[in-house]
């Protein structure tokens, strides 16, 4: 699962499917605890919905969430490309972005 791989990439604990209380809400899904975040991030990967409450950055640094989403996108892309038999290479760029190259039609 891409979310689990994203957590491993970020050296976070594996996501746990559960219902948790956010500050003024409750959410069910795969929960990821980001560093120094008061509440977990709750991911519904089937629906593509992420619920969280970081109180505009006071209860959790937005950059951690952005990195989790980036890691998820990278891992999901790699999984889907490999499912179709396409080799993938990854390159970390100086600005923090990640370049994926999917080789389509290589005859592999």
């Amino acid at each position: 699962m891409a979310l689990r791989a994203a957590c491993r990439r970020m050296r976070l604990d594996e996501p746990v499917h559960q219902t948790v209380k956010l500050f003024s809400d409750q959410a069910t899904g795969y929960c990821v605890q980001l560093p120094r975040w008061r509440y977990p991030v709750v991911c519904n990967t089937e629906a593509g919905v992420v619920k969280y409450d970081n109180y505009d950055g006071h209860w959790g640094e937005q950059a951690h969430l952005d990195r989790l989403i980036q890691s998820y996108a990278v891992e999901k892309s790699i999984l889907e490309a490999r499912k179709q038999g396409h080799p993938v290479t990854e390159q970390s760029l100086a600005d923090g972005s990640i370049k994926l190259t999917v080789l389509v039609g290589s005859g592999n």
Side-chain angles (χ1 to χ4, degrees):
M1 160 170 149
L3 184 58
R4 183 174 296 129
C7 289
R8 270 191 304 248
R9 176 183 286 264
M10 293 180 63
R11 296 190 172 117
L12 300 172
D13 290 339
E14 291 207 358
V16 177
H17 194 277
Q18 60 186 342
T19 299
V20 295
K21 181 181 180 340
L22 303 176
F23 179 73
S24 61
D25 199 4
Q26 187 173 330
T28 300
Y30 288 97
C31 299
V32 176
Q33 187 64 54
L34 295 174
R36 297 179 300 283
W37 274 55
R38 182 173 292 186
Y39 300 103
V41 172
V42 183
C43 305
N44 182 335
T45 55
E46 295 292 320
V49 175
V50 177
K51 291 188 174 184
Y52 63 95
D53 190 349
N54 71 344
Y55 194 49
D56 292 328
H58 295 282
W59 295 342
E61 194 176 322
Q62 183 66 35
H64 291 132
L65 178 59
D66 295 344
R67 185 152 177 255
L68 176 65
I69 292 170
Q70 177 193 47
S71 295
Y72 176 77
V74 166
E75 295 296 341
K76 184 69 173 171
S77 298
I78 290 171
L79 284 171
E80 293 301 322
R82 288 185 177 155
K83 268 190 212 172
Q84 296 179 30
H86 304 304
V88 180
T89 60
E90 178 181 336
Q91 179 183 7
S92 296
L93 303 179
D95 65 358
S97 61
I98 299 171
K99 177 181 176 183
L100 293 179
T101 302
V102 179
L103 196 54
V104 178
S106 65
N108 290 333

